[in-house]
Every structure is written in structure tokens, then in C-alpha cells.
Amino acid sequence: MNKKKSTSQLTLFVFLSFSLTFSFSSSPTPRKPPPLPILPLPSSPQLQWQLGHMAMFLHFGPNTFTDSEWGTGHVDPSVFNPAKLNAAQWVRVAKDSGFSRVILTAKHHDGFCLWPTEYTNYSVSSSPWRSGGGDVVGELAAAARDAGIALGLYLSPWDRHEPCYGKTLEYNEFYMGQMTELLTRYGEIKEVWLDGAKGEGEKDMEYFFDSWFSLIHQHQPGAVIFSDAGPDTRWVGDEAGVAGSTCWSLFNRSDAKIGDTDYQYSNGGDPFGHDWVPAECDVSIRPGWFWHSLEVPKSARTLLDLYYKSIGRNCLLLLNVPPNSSGLISAEDIQVLQEFNDLRKSIFSYNLAKTALINASSTRGGSNNSWFTPSNVVQEGIDSYWAPEGNQSKWVLSLNLQKLVSFNILQVQEPIQMGQRVIEFHLEVLNEERKWNKVINGTTIGYQRLLQFPTVKSQYLRFVIDKSRADPLISYLGLYIDRYSILSNLSHTTSHASRNRSQILNYHIESNHSQVAAI
């Protein structure tokens, strides 16, 4: 055999052997998969709804012109004539103020329809507005679509005008006929809102809710349905915009009845619930739901307080901003909404923990696993998260802010696509005596929890999860300073499950920024 050829073959063999060995030995370690989700879980439309944070309710109709809240159903349609109606203005105000969707009262309890329905003459078609050729729903749908704002519609089950109301079969057919019009004429509908409101002494009426829900999901599969009991989002149990300080998205629909709700159950949800039905907090910017000339809007600081007690308690805030009799959102309401938006931006524009050095008591798959590293908690969004090793008894995130920082707001989020898990947690800071002080206790987190406490100054923090339904997962942790909220009578640092609207959110104002000094 040729010696030179033999040497070449040997060299090639050694090279291939080394290459294969290096290739196998340097292959990446298999990733550890995510933990199992814990049921129940949100649907895709429910996730989109939750990510939207805030929706704007638009109560509008004959009541706007008659200084009423619940119309009789017998007001002449000629009263409805909003000479300057501009749905694009409504949508622009909503979008500029940070709202992700608008929900219109397409038909309120008086039965007057804001679209040209074929099932009754009691509608815009019989009014002088646009010479009887107008369509409020259509104009709003077009404006929302152009602005990239989601559209929702409220079709009241209680109808004080319709003659067949009280005749179960006939009225259910009538209602579903109107619902079909709304769901098939105006493009994508993201939320359908209905309730069990009805005055005392009114006709007895059975609503075929299951048939309604099936019809809605058939025509608009991407829509969430709101009612006292879901099926997709539930009433929080009050019209003050305030959720329970413990608020689960978990719920048992079988334990709730539309029009006959256990308010306390709705307010806090159910840690043992089998259904995912998060709460929506509805409240009006004014004392009434419809516009009244003698009423004035709430202050921006009041709206900020409602923000903490709704969005900050795992809910969506549905703020009613009623158009006036000209068909526009009033200037004083717009001013308050702008101030409210400025307040939120000033407080939440920068996470004081963003540059923190973060360690965890454990990390799923080991400390080098980038999928579940504790540094994920300062990355915005719920897609990434910190996960501990399984079957641990201690769950702690330790933060070094790298300098002394003053703060009085804690923001925490869970990746709710994996289920709602945390039952109890607390925050500790290292004080000047090098001792750990508990700053605040909290219960549920869910999509988002905001907790206020007296201003503290520290470099080192510990976020401790005390109890969880399964291995806890944290997607975001933020620290902020609120210099605007005025809270008093702070007596303890615990946020327990309670229907009390405010147990902990109390501290004295520290200072004011000039831009909102007059709010």
C-alpha cells in the first residue's frame, strides 16, 4: 500500500473522529420545557381583552336629551337630534386617553335603537337626525376601525318599548333578530355587553341566555361576552369601579345567575372556580350614566384611585364617558381624561427596578436557563417569566437596585396564559439597620396587581411568595413613585381579602409635579 496514501487516510480518519466527537460534545443541553399550565385558562379573546386594560363606555340615546337615566320607552323619537354628532371624536378621545376599546349602548332599557333596525320603528330611522338616514352604530364602527380601536356593543335585554316584551318566545326571537343585525352588519365586534337590569314591577320575562351566547359566538367568535355571570367576563358586583382586594379570575358560572348575583362572590371570584371569568369594573366619569348638563366629571386623581382599585386588582376598567346632547364628548370630560392619562404616564413611564440585579431562590432548569431566568421579570409583557424549580417550599426574588431608590408602588404580573397561581405574597426591604422590614402583604396577582404603601427608600428588596396554587410564575415586577395620590389613616401593611374598598392604599402626599399641580 502506498505509504503517502495511508498517511492521508489516517489523517482524514482522525479529523472526522475529532469533528464528530466535538460536534456531539458541544451540542446544547436540551431545554427544560415550561411547567404545566394550571386550569382554568383564558381563551384567546379573553387574553386580548385583559391586555387592553381599559375600555370606554358610551351611554347615549334619548335619555341624553330628556335628562333621564332609565327612559320610559314612550319618548317621541323626535327628541333624538344630536346636531354635531362626531363618532370619530369619541374614538379619538378614547385612543388619546389610553383606552383600547369603546362600547356603545346600541339599545338601552327604553328600547330606542341607535341603528336602523328592521324589527321596530323606534330607532334613529324615526328621528330627525340625519333626516332619518343616520346610523350611530355604523358611524362608530367605521371610526373605531379607522383608528384601530376595538368595538363593543350593549343590547339591553330589558325593553320598555317593545310590545312583545313579556312574551317569552316572541321576545327572545325579537332580541336575537336584533342581535344578529348588530353582529353581521358592522364588521368585527370585540365585546357584547348585556345585563339583567330591570325595574321592580316590570313584566316577568325569561331570557334564553344560552341561545344568545351561542349566537354571539357563532357570528363573532373573537368577541367576549359580558354579563353578571360571564361567560367570558363578569360584572365586578358594583357600579363604583372597585374590585375586591383579593380578586380571582377563577369563577364558577354555575354559582352565578344573571340578574340575581351574589355581589361578594362576583367581587372576589373563587380560588376553587372551574371557569375563567375575569371581572370588569364599570363606573361613570359623572354621577349619572347618561350626560346631564348640571353634572361635572370626577377629578383625575379620583380616576387614578379607581385605576389602582380595578386594573390594579386584576380587572379591566370600563369607564363611562357619555356624549352630550350635541353628540360630542364634553370639553370638561376630555380635560379630566387628559390629566388622568398624564398622571399614569408620569407614574408608570419608568420602572425603577429595570436595571436591578436579580437573583432567585431557584430557577427552573438551573440558574443558566435563559427561558426562566429571574431577569425576565423586568422585561415588559407576559410571554416571558421567572419560574422556580419544582416542588420548592421557598420562592423568593432578591433585587439589588444598585443605589438607594425611593418608591411607593409595587406592580406584579403573572403569565395568566399559564393560569392564575399566587395566593399570598409580600415585599421586604433592607433598612438602614441592615434588617429586613416587611413593606406590604398582598393576596392575588393575576394579570396585574398594583399595591400602594408609604414611601420607602432602599437598595435591597425581597419579593416573597408565601402561598401558591402551583409553582408560582412571575412575568413582571415593577417599582414606581406616585407623587400625586393623597391617602391617609394608614394603620397597617396588609392587603387582605375583603369587600372594603381600601385597606392599605393610604399615604401622605410627598410632592407634586408642576404639570399636574392643579389637578
Side-chain angles (χ1 to χ4, degrees):
M1 188 180 201
N2 185 293
K3 185 175 181 182
K4 189 173 181 180
K5 184 178 180 181
S6 177
T7 302
S8 298
Q9 290 175 333
L10 179 62
T11 302
L12 179 62
F13 174 77
V14 171
F15 173 76
L16 289 173
S17 299
F18 175 79
S19 297
L20 288 171
T21 301
F22 179 79
S23 176
F24 285 123
S25 64
S26 63
S27 62
T29 303
R31 286 176 169 172
K32 191 162 187 176
L36 282 175
I38 180 170
L39 299 175
L41 299 176
S43 66
S44 177
Q46 287 175 320
L47 273 175
Q48 289 183 28
W49 171 89
Q50 190 87 66
L51 292 169
H53 292 89
M54 296 194 301
M56 183 177 287
F57 220 167
L58 299 164
H59 273 65
F60 190 57
N63 293 345
T64 307
F65 303 85
T66 59
D67 203 30
S68 304
E69 283 291 304
W70 279 7
T72 64
H74 302 291
V75 171
D76 194 295
S78 64
V79 305
F80 186 82
N81 192 17
K84 297 180 181 179
L85 189 143
N86 185 349
Q89 186 241 19
W90 307 352
V91 171
R92 184 169 61 253
V93 170
K95 188 172 184 177
D96 290 349
S97 304
F99 293 80
S100 63
R101 61 182 58 190
V102 290
I103 302 175
L104 174 69
T105 55
K107 183 188 79 171
H108 203 252
H109 310 324
D110 60 2
F112 186 85
C113 299
L114 296 183
W115 79 101
T117 175
E118 297 177 15
Y119 292 95
T120 179
N121 293 324
Y122 200 55
S123 75
V124 288
S125 298
S126 300
S127 78
W129 177 66
R130 303 274 198 265
S131 300
D135 185 345
V136 181
V137 177
E139 292 188 22
L140 181 60
R145 186 165 51 250
D146 291 345
I149 292 287
L151 176 65
L153 297 172
Y154 171 37
L155 186 66
S156 171
W158 181 29
D159 190 323
R160 305 187 77 178
H161 175 83
E162 176 52 39
C164 74
Y165 186 85
K167 301 175 182 178
T168 295
L169 180 60
E170 288 183 44
Y171 183 73
N172 275 276
E173 290 174 343
F174 171 84
Y175 185 89
M176 292 181 73
Q178 290 197 321
M179 180 67 78
T180 300
E181 289 181 332
L182 292 173
L183 299 179
T184 58
R185 291 183 181 180
Y186 299 106
E188 189 172 23
I189 306 298
K190 283 295 190 179
E191 184 162 351
V192 176
W193 215 90
L194 53 93
D195 56 19
K198 187 168 66 173
E200 292 184 9
E202 289 293 320
K203 298 174 184 176
D204 189 32
M205 182 74 230
E206 180 186 354
Y207 303 134
F208 294 168
F209 286 117
D210 288 340
S211 296
W212 299 1
F213 297 160
S214 295
L215 179 78
I216 295 166
H217 282 149
Q218 179 188 83
H219 288 299
Q220 295 286 346
V224 294
I225 301 173
F226 168 96
S227 80
D228 300 9
D232 300 308
T233 176
R234 72 180 193 267
W235 185 40
V236 77
D238 61 50
E239 292 186 342
V242 177
S245 57
T246 292
C247 192
W248 292 95
S249 293
L250 281 59
F251 197 71
N252 278 331
R253 289 182 54 206
S254 59
D255 291 340
K257 183 179 179 181
I258 301 174
D260 185 19
T261 303
D262 180 337
Y263 303 132
Q264 189 166 0
Y265 186 65
S266 296
N267 199 245
D270 188 340
F272 305 104
H274 300 296
D275 305 304
W276 185 275
V277 190
E280 188 166 296
C281 298
D282 59 322
V283 62
S284 185
I285 196 171
R286 290 166 172 256
W289 289 92
F290 286 87
W291 177 84
H292 305 287
S293 60
L294 298 180
E295 292 183 350
V296 296
K298 295 175 171 63
S299 70
R301 281 180 175 166
T302 298
L303 296 185
L304 179 62
D305 184 54
L306 291 172
Y307 185 86
Y308 286 122
K309 294 173 181 175
S310 56
I311 292 170
R313 294 180 179 178
N314 186 37
C315 299
L316 181 139
L317 174 61
L318 176 58
L319 181 66
N320 180 63
V321 184
N324 60 32
S325 56
S326 294
L328 300 172
I329 293 177
S330 299
E332 57 267 32
D333 293 9
I334 295 173
Q335 178 66 26
V336 168
L337 291 171
Q338 182 179 346
E339 292 169 351
F340 176 42
N341 194 44
D342 290 343
L343 283 175
R344 298 196 319 275
K345 286 182 178 179
S346 178
I347 295 167
F348 298 106
S349 60
Y350 182 73
N351 181 2
L352 298 170
K354 188 170 182 61
T355 59
L357 305 176
I358 308 175
N359 292 308
S361 51
S362 68
T363 298
R364 185 176 178 84
S367 58
N368 293 324
N369 192 325
S370 60
W371 270 23
F372 309 114
T373 178
S375 63
N376 285 341
V377 303
V378 290
Q379 305 301 316
E380 292 188 6
I382 62 173
D383 293 331
S384 63
Y385 51 87
W386 164 68
E389 286 285 18
N391 302 314
Q392 301 293 301
S393 58
K394 184 179 182 181
W395 304 302
V396 182
L397 286 170
S398 300
L399 284 74
N400 175 0
L401 302 178
Q402 303 192 71
K403 62 180 179 180
L404 287 172
V405 174
S406 295
F407 55 92
N408 52 28
I409 303 291
L410 171 66
Q411 177 188 17
V412 193
Q413 292 183 277
E414 291 182 89
I416 55 173
Q417 69 273 18
M418 303 294 288
Q420 188 176 358
R421 298 166 177 252
V422 176
I423 299 173
E424 294 177 7
F425 63 92
H426 70 270
L427 180 69
E428 302 174 349
V429 299
L430 195 66
N431 64 20
E432 295 177 351
E433 288 77 35
R434 310 299 294 175
K435 294 181 179 178
W436 289 101
N437 282 353
K438 186 180 293 186
V439 174
I440 188 75
N441 290 346
T443 50
T444 46
I445 296 175
Y447 173 64
Q448 181 168 244
R449 190 67 193 266
L450 296 171
L451 289 177
Q452 294 173 276
F453 42 85
T455 301
V456 295
K457 190 173 185 178
S458 184
Q459 179 177 341
Y460 301 97
L461 297 78
R462 291 196 302 213
F463 177 78
V464 182
I465 299 167
D466 302 296
K467 192 174 181 181
S468 186
R469 296 173 63 229
D471 293 337
L473 309 174
I474 301 298
S475 58
Y476 195 71
L477 193 151
L479 300 173
Y480 306 92
I481 185 76
D482 177 349
R483 303 182 187 276
Y484 314 106
S485 298
I486 302 175
L487 302 157
S488 58
N489 302 319
L490 183 67
S491 59
H492 52 76
T493 57
T494 303
S495 177
H496 288 302
S498 171
R499 297 198 69 223
N500 189 338
R501 294 183 182 176
S502 178
Q503 292 190 354
I504 181 61
L505 310 184
N506 301 303
Y507 68 91
H508 289 288
I509 189 166
E510 187 176 277
S511 64
N512 244 332
H513 285 179
S514 58
Q515 65 193 44
V516 290
I519 294 176

mmCIF file of all heavy atoms in Angstrom, residues 388-415:
data_model
loop_
_atom_site.group_PDB
_atom_site.id
_atom_site.type_symbol
_atom_site.label_atom_id
_atom_site.label_comp_id
_atom_site.label_asym_id
_atom_site.label_seq_id
_atom_site.Cartn_x
_atom_site.Cartn_y
_atom_site.Cartn_z
ATOM 1 N N PRO A 388 -39.531 28.993 39.181
ATOM 2 C CA PRO A 388 -38.634 28.299 40.098
ATOM 3 C C PRO A 388 -38.554 26.815 39.766
ATOM 4 O O PRO A 388 -39.339 26.303 38.957
ATOM 5 C CB PRO A 388 -39.310 28.510 41.453
ATOM 6 C CG PRO A 388 -40.774 28.515 41.121
ATOM 7 C CD PRO A 388 -40.876 29.162 39.756
ATOM 8 N N GLU A 389 -37.604 26.129 40.356
ATOM 9 C CA GLU A 389 -37.586 24.673 40.282
ATOM 10 C C GLU A 389 -38.858 24.130 40.922
ATOM 11 O O GLU A 389 -39.441 24.766 41.814
ATOM 12 C CB GLU A 389 -36.359 24.105 40.988
ATOM 13 C CG GLU A 389 -35.066 24.291 40.219
ATOM 14 C CD GLU A 389 -34.931 23.341 39.033
ATOM 15 O OE1 GLU A 389 -35.944 22.769 38.589
ATOM 16 O OE2 GLU A 389 -33.797 23.181 38.542
ATOM 17 N N GLY A 390 -39.275 22.978 40.480
ATOM 18 C CA GLY A 390 -40.493 22.389 41.018
ATOM 19 C C GLY A 390 -40.333 21.889 42.441
ATOM 20 O O GLY A 390 -39.221 21.635 42.921
ATOM 21 N N ASN A 391 -41.457 21.814 43.135
ATOM 22 C CA ASN A 391 -41.522 21.229 44.474
ATOM 23 C C ASN A 391 -40.633 21.948 45.481
ATOM 24 O O ASN A 391 -39.989 21.321 46.324
ATOM 25 C CB ASN A 391 -41.167 19.744 44.434
ATOM 26 C CG ASN A 391 -42.084 18.961 43.522
ATOM 27 O OD1 ASN A 391 -43.308 19.131 43.570
ATOM 28 N ND2 ASN A 391 -41.505 18.114 42.673
ATOM 29 N N GLN A 392 -40.581 23.270 45.376
ATOM 30 C CA GLN A 392 -39.829 24.069 46.342
ATOM 31 C C GLN A 392 -40.767 24.571 47.438
ATOM 32 O O GLN A 392 -41.975 24.705 47.234
ATOM 33 C CB GLN A 392 -39.168 25.260 45.654
ATOM 34 C CG GLN A 392 -38.208 24.879 44.538
ATOM 35 C CD GLN A 392 -36.981 24.163 45.056
ATOM 36 O OE1 GLN A 392 -36.240 24.699 45.875
ATOM 37 N NE2 GLN A 392 -36.759 22.955 44.573
ATOM 38 N N SER A 393 -40.211 24.879 48.588
ATOM 39 C CA SER A 393 -41.011 25.429 49.679
ATOM 40 C C SER A 393 -40.710 26.906 49.898
ATOM 41 O O SER A 393 -41.334 27.563 50.724
ATOM 42 C CB SER A 393 -40.745 24.665 50.982
ATOM 43 O OG SER A 393 -39.363 24.723 51.313
ATOM 44 N N LYS A 394 -39.745 27.426 49.138
ATOM 45 C CA LYS A 394 -39.354 28.829 49.281
ATOM 46 C C LYS A 394 -39.274 29.455 47.902
ATOM 47 O O LYS A 394 -38.586 28.940 47.013
ATOM 48 C CB LYS A 394 -37.992 28.920 49.999
ATOM 49 C CG LYS A 394 -37.535 30.333 50.285
ATOM 50 C CD LYS A 394 -36.194 30.307 51.023
ATOM 51 C CE LYS A 394 -35.722 31.706 51.373
ATOM 52 N NZ LYS A 394 -34.406 31.675 52.061
ATOM 53 N N TRP A 395 -39.979 30.570 47.720
ATOM 54 C CA TRP A 395 -39.997 31.252 46.435
ATOM 55 C C TRP A 395 -39.667 32.734 46.670
ATOM 56 O O TRP A 395 -40.505 33.498 47.150
ATOM 57 C CB TRP A 395 -41.371 31.142 45.779
ATOM 58 C CG TRP A 395 -41.850 29.726 45.599
ATOM 59 C CD1 TRP A 395 -41.242 28.731 44.912
ATOM 60 C CD2 TRP A 395 -43.072 29.168 46.099
ATOM 61 N NE1 TRP A 395 -41.993 27.587 44.929
ATOM 62 C CE2 TRP A 395 -43.137 27.831 45.659
ATOM 63 C CE3 TRP A 395 -44.134 29.671 46.853
ATOM 64 C CZ2 TRP A 395 -44.194 26.982 45.966
ATOM 65 C CZ3 TRP A 395 -45.188 28.837 47.163
ATOM 66 C CH2 TRP A 395 -45.221 27.511 46.721
ATOM 67 N N VAL A 396 -38.463 33.112 46.329
ATOM 68 C CA VAL A 396 -38.001 34.473 46.620
ATOM 69 C C VAL A 396 -37.270 35.056 45.417
ATOM 70 O O VAL A 396 -36.432 34.380 44.801
ATOM 71 C CB VAL A 396 -37.047 34.502 47.846
ATOM 72 C CG1 VAL A 396 -36.621 35.936 48.154
ATOM 73 C CG2 VAL A 396 -37.698 33.863 49.062
ATOM 74 N N LEU A 397 -37.573 36.305 45.091
ATOM 75 C CA LEU A 397 -36.796 37.092 44.146
ATOM 76 C C LEU A 397 -36.088 38.184 44.930
ATOM 77 O O LEU A 397 -36.739 38.979 45.633
ATOM 78 C CB LEU A 397 -37.700 37.725 43.087
ATOM 79 C CG LEU A 397 -38.270 36.796 42.018
ATOM 80 C CD1 LEU A 397 -39.337 37.522 41.202
ATOM 81 C CD2 LEU A 397 -37.169 36.258 41.107
ATOM 82 N N SER A 398 -34.767 38.221 44.838
ATOM 83 C CA SER A 398 -33.962 39.221 45.550
ATOM 84 C C SER A 398 -33.460 40.257 44.553
ATOM 85 O O SER A 398 -32.889 39.908 43.520
ATOM 86 C CB SER A 398 -32.780 38.556 46.254
ATOM 87 O OG SER A 398 -33.241 37.595 47.191
ATOM 88 N N LEU A 399 -33.672 41.530 44.876
ATOM 89 C CA LEU A 399 -33.294 42.601 43.970
ATOM 90 C C LEU A 399 -32.263 43.523 44.601
ATOM 91 O O LEU A 399 -32.419 43.946 45.755
ATOM 92 C CB LEU A 399 -34.522 43.448 43.585
ATOM 93 C CG LEU A 399 -35.515 42.864 42.577
ATOM 94 C CD1 LEU A 399 -36.365 41.785 43.204
ATOM 95 C CD2 LEU A 399 -36.390 43.965 42.006
ATOM 96 N N ASN A 400 -31.231 43.826 43.843
ATOM 97 C CA ASN A 400 -30.257 44.856 44.200
ATOM 98 C C ASN A 400 -30.435 45.984 43.194
ATOM 99 O O ASN A 400 -30.095 45.849 42.023
ATOM 100 C CB ASN A 400 -28.840 44.290 44.140
ATOM 101 C CG ASN A 400 -27.777 45.349 44.389
ATOM 102 O OD1 ASN A 400 -28.077 46.530 44.603
ATOM 103 N ND2 ASN A 400 -26.513 44.943 44.370
ATOM 104 N N LEU A 401 -30.997 47.106 43.636
ATOM 105 C CA LEU A 401 -31.282 48.227 42.752
ATOM 106 C C LEU A 401 -30.030 49.007 42.371
ATOM 107 O O LEU A 401 -30.101 49.930 41.564
ATOM 108 C CB LEU A 401 -32.312 49.164 43.397
ATOM 109 C CG LEU A 401 -33.655 48.517 43.776
ATOM 110 C CD1 LEU A 401 -34.566 49.548 44.441
ATOM 111 C CD2 LEU A 401 -34.336 47.908 42.563
ATOM 112 N N GLN A 402 -28.900 48.664 42.976
ATOM 113 C CA GLN A 402 -27.581 49.239 42.716
ATOM 114 C C GLN A 402 -27.418 50.661 43.252
ATOM 115 O O GLN A 402 -26.342 51.257 43.128
ATOM 116 C CB GLN A 402 -27.236 49.210 41.217
ATOM 117 C CG GLN A 402 -27.298 47.807 40.625
ATOM 118 C CD GLN A 402 -26.690 47.740 39.253
ATOM 119 O OE1 GLN A 402 -25.472 47.841 39.101
ATOM 120 N NE2 GLN A 402 -27.523 47.576 38.231
ATOM 121 N N LYS A 403 -28.467 51.218 43.836
ATOM 122 C CA LYS A 403 -28.383 52.509 44.521
ATOM 123 C C LYS A 403 -29.644 52.661 45.366
ATOM 124 O O LYS A 403 -30.621 51.919 45.193
ATOM 125 C CB LYS A 403 -28.271 53.655 43.526
ATOM 126 C CG LYS A 403 -29.463 53.795 42.594
ATOM 127 C CD LYS A 403 -29.288 54.962 41.630
ATOM 128 C CE LYS A 403 -30.488 55.076 40.689
ATOM 129 N NZ LYS A 403 -30.335 56.202 39.739
ATOM 130 N N LEU A 404 -29.635 53.626 46.275
ATOM 131 C CA LEU A 404 -30.821 53.884 47.075
ATOM 132 C C LEU A 404 -31.914 54.476 46.197
ATOM 133 O O LEU A 404 -31.673 55.410 45.421
ATOM 134 C CB LEU A 404 -30.500 54.850 48.215
ATOM 135 C CG LEU A 404 -29.678 54.285 49.375
ATOM 136 C CD1 LEU A 404 -29.266 55.405 50.328
ATOM 137 C CD2 LEU A 404 -30.477 53.228 50.126
ATOM 138 N N VAL A 405 -33.121 53.913 46.299
ATOM 139 C CA VAL A 405 -34.243 54.344 45.470
ATOM 140 C C VAL A 405 -35.477 54.518 46.348
ATOM 141 O O VAL A 405 -35.758 53.688 47.215
ATOM 142 C CB VAL A 405 -34.538 53.307 44.359
ATOM 143 C CG1 VAL A 405 -35.791 53.688 43.584
ATOM 144 C CG2 VAL A 405 -33.352 53.175 43.410
ATOM 145 N N SER A 406 -36.218 55.602 46.115
ATOM 146 C CA SER A 406 -37.487 55.824 46.822
ATOM 147 C C SER A 406 -38.635 55.335 45.940
ATOM 148 O O SER A 406 -38.667 55.622 44.738
ATOM 149 C CB SER A 406 -37.675 57.311 47.133
ATOM 150 O OG SER A 406 -36.692 57.774 48.030
ATOM 151 N N PHE A 407 -39.590 54.634 46.540
ATOM 152 C CA PHE A 407 -40.737 54.119 45.782
ATOM 153 C C PHE A 407 -41.897 53.866 46.726
ATOM 154 O O PHE A 407 -41.729 53.719 47.937
ATOM 155 C CB PHE A 407 -40.365 52.837 45.023
ATOM 156 C CG PHE A 407 -39.792 51.753 45.892
ATOM 157 C CD1 PHE A 407 -40.610 50.781 46.454
ATOM 158 C CD2 PHE A 407 -38.424 51.702 46.157
ATOM 159 C CE1 PHE A 407 -40.080 49.781 47.255
ATOM 160 C CE2 PHE A 407 -37.887 50.705 46.964
ATOM 161 C CZ PHE A 407 -38.718 49.745 47.510
ATOM 162 N N ASN A 408 -43.093 53.834 46.156
ATOM 163 C CA ASN A 408 -44.289 53.554 46.963
ATOM 164 C C ASN A 408 -45.347 52.767 46.192
ATOM 165 O O ASN A 408 -46.487 52.657 46.632
ATOM 166 C CB ASN A 408 -44.896 54.842 47.523
ATOM 167 C CG ASN A 408 -45.136 55.897 46.455
ATOM 168 O OD1 ASN A 408 -45.351 55.577 45.294
ATOM 169 N ND2 ASN A 408 -45.085 57.169 46.857
ATOM 170 N N ILE A 409 -44.964 52.246 45.037
ATOM 171 C CA ILE A 409 -45.874 51.421 44.234
ATOM 172 C C ILE A 409 -45.160 50.132 43.840
ATOM 173 O O ILE A 409 -44.019 50.165 43.363
ATOM 174 C CB ILE A 409 -46.295 52.136 42.936
ATOM 175 C CG1 ILE A 409 -46.950 53.482 43.237
ATOM 176 C CG2 ILE A 409 -47.236 51.245 42.105
ATOM 177 C CD1 ILE A 409 -48.300 53.371 43.894
ATOM 178 N N LEU A 410 -45.826 49.014 44.054
ATOM 179 C CA LEU A 410 -45.342 47.718 43.573
ATOM 180 C C LEU A 410 -46.295 47.223 42.498
ATOM 181 O O LEU A 410 -47.514 47.190 42.691
ATOM 182 C CB LEU A 410 -45.294 46.695 44.711
ATOM 183 C CG LEU A 410 -45.022 45.235 44.311
ATOM 184 C CD1 LEU A 410 -43.611 45.085 43.752
ATOM 185 C CD2 LEU A 410 -45.250 44.293 45.486
ATOM 186 N N GLN A 411 -45.745 46.853 41.358
ATOM 187 C CA GLN A 411 -46.522 46.244 40.279
ATOM 188 C C GLN A 411 -46.033 44.813 40.083
ATOM 189 O O GLN A 411 -44.820 44.577 39.989
ATOM 190 C CB GLN A 411 -46.352 47.018 38.967
ATOM 191 C CG GLN A 411 -47.087 46.394 37.787
ATOM 192 C CD GLN A 411 -46.744 47.061 36.463
ATOM 193 O OE1 GLN A 411 -45.748 47.768 36.364
ATOM 194 N NE2 GLN A 411 -47.554 46.837 35.457
ATOM 195 N N VAL A 412 -46.951 43.869 40.025
ATOM 196 C CA VAL A 412 -46.609 42.464 39.803
ATOM 197 C C VAL A 412 -47.579 41.880 38.782
ATOM 198 O O VAL A 412 -48.774 42.199 38.787
ATOM 199 C CB VAL A 412 -46.677 41.625 41.094
ATOM 200 C CG1 VAL A 412 -46.008 40.273 40.877
ATOM 201 C CG2 VAL A 412 -46.040 42.337 42.264
ATOM 202 N N GLN A 413 -47.046 41.042 37.894
ATOM 203 C CA GLN A 413 -47.881 40.362 36.915
ATOM 204 C C GLN A 413 -47.538 38.879 36.859
ATOM 205 O O GLN A 413 -46.382 38.495 37.048
ATOM 206 C CB GLN A 413 -47.679 40.971 35.516
ATOM 207 C CG GLN A 413 -48.200 42.386 35.364
ATOM 208 C CD GLN A 413 -48.028 42.883 33.947
ATOM 209 O OE1 GLN A 413 -46.961 43.358 33.580
ATOM 210 N NE2 GLN A 413 -49.088 42.782 33.149
ATOM 211 N N GLU A 414 -48.559 38.073 36.600
ATOM 212 C CA GLU A 414 -48.379 36.655 36.331
ATOM 213 C C GLU A 414 -48.608 36.393 34.843
ATOM 214 O O GLU A 414 -49.407 37.095 34.205
ATOM 215 C CB GLU A 414 -49.378 35.810 37.128
ATOM 216 C CG GLU A 414 -49.158 35.781 38.626
ATOM 217 C CD GLU A 414 -50.171 34.881 39.322
ATOM 218 O OE1 GLU A 414 -49.885 33.672 39.457
ATOM 219 O OE2 GLU A 414 -51.244 35.376 39.721
ATOM 220 N N PRO A 415 -47.961 35.372 34.282
ATOM 221 C CA PRO A 415 -48.284 34.973 32.905
ATOM 222 C C PRO A 415 -49.590 34.179 32.919
ATOM 223 O O PRO A 415 -49.588 32.954 33.050
ATOM 224 C CB PRO A 415 -47.089 34.107 32.509
ATOM 225 C CG PRO A 415 -46.595 33.539 33.800
ATOM 226 C CD PRO A 415 -46.882 34.559 34.858
#
